[in-house]
Amino acid sequence: MKTITKHYIDGAFVESHGREVIESINPSNGKVIGKTLLGDEEDAKFAIAAAKQALISFAHTTKEERASMLHRLHEVVAARIDDLIAVMIEEYGGTAQFSEIIVRSAAESFLQAEKALQQLPLVRTWDKTTVFYEPVGVAGLITAWNANALFISVKLASAIAAGCTVVIKPSEMSSLQTQVLLECLHEARLPSGVFNVVIGRGDVVGAELVRNPDVAKISFTGSAAVGEKIMRDGAATMKRVTLELGGKSPNILLDDVELDKAIPTALGIAFMNSGQACAAGTRLLVPKSRLDDVKKAILGAMPAFAVGDPANRKTTVGPMVSKKQYEQVQAYIRTGISEGADVLVGGEGHPQGFEAGYFVKPTVFVNVTNDMTIAQEEIFGPVLCVITYESEEDAVRIANDSRYGLHGFVSGADLQRARRVASQIIAGRVVINGMRDDQQAPWGGFKHSGVGREFGTFGIEAFLESRAILE
Ligand code: NAD
């Protein structure tokens, strides 16, 4: 049992003023593995004051100084990759395969920000005009639970590159993971107050960051509902916002696709992070003429996506993060059935042999129409909807008939055609023939998937304001 009673403020671990206790539960077996004292508004204000004070000198550091800090941050996170993976598996039920990808990307994000910073001009001149790109001010970083180390690292790296000081409010469901990450970050010996971390509830610590006039910017990763609230509440102090929200991403299989390859890939894209991924391709759009072949290929490929112990390196689907998330997925499966979709694989209840913990059956629905609840709402579990289309235009229409626009996928043998279709999908990112990441490419969404972009120069620009001096 681990106990956490301290936040990280002004370069030191300090006792929490807030006294509310939250338990951490291992989702693989439902056992309590930790207790954390949650911060309150006072802790948040204390952290904001430290960040405000540190900003006075940090805003004037040189690019080279910040690049060297980013390098150190990379080294200290990379040094504890195994510990970060272990705690992600234990606290969150992330599979070993996926946790490794996330933690390595977290360490890498500091190097990527360093590279982007070198490429980004912070002064531009023409005629007698000079434009300076300045840090926006103190930033509040509020993150979701489903890839804790990565979200914190990506946001922190961009903010540091820009010269902003920060107060981080990680998801209260990630306190054990945050503790290990914090131990790493502390080792980088950044100037006191440059980054501060308060673990607490969203409606307490998060809300204080959103309303506090000393916080200039909120960079948020989480649900669309909370994102909307942050935008509304932040307007009172004219907060700059970056909002990384949910998705219901389409995956279009064109009619010349090789199903033997495309179906296992599509299932991997739908069930990544046990389906608890904003970018998951949860609507599989297939040509009507090939539906029978698609069903056969799915049935053949599903054994590779059986649930298992997340610590086992072969496991591709682990438990849901919490009982609440388990119940949410069950409710959506029932809704799908009641609205007339057919369960091809999976369905309600626990998989056999996994009754303890929050495991669900990876589920594929067929006979889904795009207006059904399961095709429109983000389920955040391993549930895939197969939807048929009549023509290329029809596929694009269905893909874009969504309140979300985070990610999209297109697969087909004819690359020119796949590119043409990809360019019509309204989403911040579209990947052709598989799943790939590029930490220099912008990340973010259209419509209810958010506002603004992260990663690379795009992520740093989100923490900058311009000032023009004219002679
Ligand atoms: P959530 O919105 O419930 O919580 C996210 C964070 O917001 C938490 O730290 C929470 O404490 C905080 N919060 C809650 N209420 C708040 C308030 N009133 N003011 C300020 N902060 C508040 O989301 P979640 O359940 O942690 O994460 C899952 C969601 O995140 C999904 O919708 C998923 O798609 C989305 N997500 C998006 C991305 C992306 O990059 N676009 C990545 C991962 C997750």
Side-chain angles (χ1 to χ4, degrees):
M1 170 81 72
K2 289 161 192 137
T3 306
I4 297 168
T5 63
K6 292 178 176 170
H7 307 295
Y8 188 82
I9 299 175
D10 209 13
F13 289 90
V14 296
E15 200 63 28
S16 180
H17 180 270
R19 304 317 287 169
E20 185 182 345
V21 177
I22 191 171
E23 288 182 336
S24 304
I25 293 175
N26 181 337
S28 298
N29 55 26
K31 293 201 174 123
V32 177
I33 50 171
K35 289 193 176 173
T36 302
L37 271 186
L38 294 179
D40 59 13
E41 284 93 347
E42 288 307 306
D43 294 300
K45 284 179 185 162
F46 190 23
I48 293 166
K52 187 180 175 185
Q53 180 62 32
L55 184 70
I56 297 168
S57 51
F58 193 65
H60 298 290
T61 47
T62 62
K63 251 189 178 185
E64 290 65 34
E65 285 168 324
R66 299 201 296 278
S68 117
M69 289 180 205
L70 289 166
H71 211 82
R72 287 210 304 278
L73 286 163
H74 160 72
E75 285 170 356
V76 293
V77 175
R80 290 199 57 194
I81 278 182
D82 290 344
D83 295 339
L84 286 160
I85 293 172
V87 70
M88 183 165 168
I89 296 169
E90 189 190 17
E91 185 182 31
Y92 157 56
T95 64
Q97 284 178 17
F98 189 77
S99 301
E100 178 163 357
I101 294 171
I102 290 300
V103 169
R104 288 196 185 282
S105 303
E108 175 70 19
S109 61
F110 295 104
L111 290 185
Q112 292 287 342
E114 185 189 347
K115 183 173 161 190
L117 179 60
Q118 308 293 7
Q119 290 165 3
L120 189 66
L122 295 180
V123 184
R124 287 172 57 203
T125 50
W126 61 88
D127 303 333
K128 287 184 159 189
T129 298
T130 308
V131 178
F132 297 92
Y133 293 87
E134 309 272 340
V136 65
V138 172
L141 314 181
I142 304 176
T143 58
W145 44 266
N146 62 327
N148 184 62
L150 180 60
F151 300 145
I152 293 177
S153 299
V154 165
K155 289 182 194 304
L156 177 63
S158 298
I160 298 273
C164 289
T165 58
V166 305
V167 178
I168 304 169
K169 196 219 79 69
S171 169
E172 53 276 43
M173 286 157 71
S174 312
S175 53
L176 304 186
Q177 295 167 77
T178 300
Q179 180 67 21
V180 180
L181 183 64
L182 257 178
E183 288 164 13
C184 302
L185 300 178
H186 178 63
E187 288 302 314
R189 308 285 166 200
L190 261 49
S192 297
V194 166
F195 75 93
N196 306 274
V197 181
V198 180
I199 296 172
R201 286 171 31 163
D203 57 356
V204 179
V205 176
E208 179 58 38
L209 290 174
V210 172
R211 96 182 133 241
N212 195 299
D214 287 335
V215 177
K217 155 125 198 155
I218 296 288
S219 177
F220 171 77
T221 296
S223 62
V226 175
E228 284 170 28
K229 185 166 169 45
I230 287 175
M231 209 166 178
R232 265 197 312 273
D233 296 353
T237 46
M238 207 52 82
K239 290 280 185 292
R240 281 80 181 116
V241 291
T242 297
L243 303 174
E244 296 291 350
L245 311 178
K248 191 74 194 177
S249 301
N251 183 356
I252 300 178
L253 302 190
L254 296 171
D255 58 11
D256 60 352
V257 79
E258 207 183 303
L259 288 178
D260 288 352
K261 268 198 203 152
I263 290 295
T265 304
L267 293 174
I269 288 170
F271 298 152
M272 69 168 112
N273 205 13
S274 310
Q276 302 171 115
C278 51
T282 49
R283 291 184 296 145
L284 185 62
L285 275 47
V286 305
K288 198 170 185 182
S289 58
R290 299 198 64 187
L291 180 61
D292 288 341
D293 294 339
V294 166
K295 285 192 205 169
K296 230 179 277 164
I298 290 175
L299 289 171
M302 275 307 283
F305 297 92
V307 296
D309 174 1
N312 184 331
R313 293 199 60 80
K314 290 193 180 139
T315 299
T316 47
V317 181
M320 301 295 91
V321 70
S322 63
K323 188 156 188 284
K324 185 173 159 223
Q325 196 65 28
Y326 169 85
E327 280 162 2
Q328 177 172 309
V329 175
Q330 298 301 317
Y332 273 116
I333 292 174
R334 284 193 294 277
T335 301
I337 294 167
S338 73
E339 288 186 351
D342 292 329
V343 173
L344 179 69
V345 203
E348 259 190 274
H350 288 283
Q352 214 182 356
F354 290 89
E355 289 76 12
Y358 311 133
F359 294 90
V360 303
K361 295 178 192 166
T363 297
V364 180
F365 277 110
V366 290
N367 285 341
V368 180
T369 53
N370 201 51
D371 57 350
M372 288 181 183
T373 307
I374 53 168
Q376 287 294 327
E377 294 184 10
E378 186 185 47
I379 298 174
F380 231 52
V383 180
L384 174 64
C385 297
V386 179
I387 301 169
T388 57
Y389 66 82
E390 303 276 354
S391 62
E392 195 178 297
E393 295 71 38
D394 195 31
V396 171
R397 181 191 61 77
I398 296 170
N400 291 335
D401 176 18
S402 170
R403 75 195 288 258
Y404 293 112
L406 184 62
H407 217 299
F409 305 88
V410 180
S411 294
D414 177 348
L415 201 54
Q416 284 300 102
R417 188 173 163 218
R419 285 184 185 138
R420 184 175 69 224
V421 172
S423 68
Q424 296 173 74
I425 297 180
I426 303 170
R429 263 196 196 189
V430 184
V431 181
I432 294 173
N433 287 333
M435 181 58 188
R436 213 168 74 75
D437 188 21
D438 176 349
Q439 284 202 13
Q440 293 296 327
W443 174 268
F446 283 67
K447 302 189 267 184
H448 275 76
S449 288
V451 175
R453 297 291 182 267
E454 295 195 294
F455 288 14
T457 54
F458 309 89
I460 300 173
E461 282 167 354
F463 288 94
L464 296 171
E465 282 279 25
S466 58
R467 179 193 297 126
I469 305 277
L470 282 66
E471 291 171 12

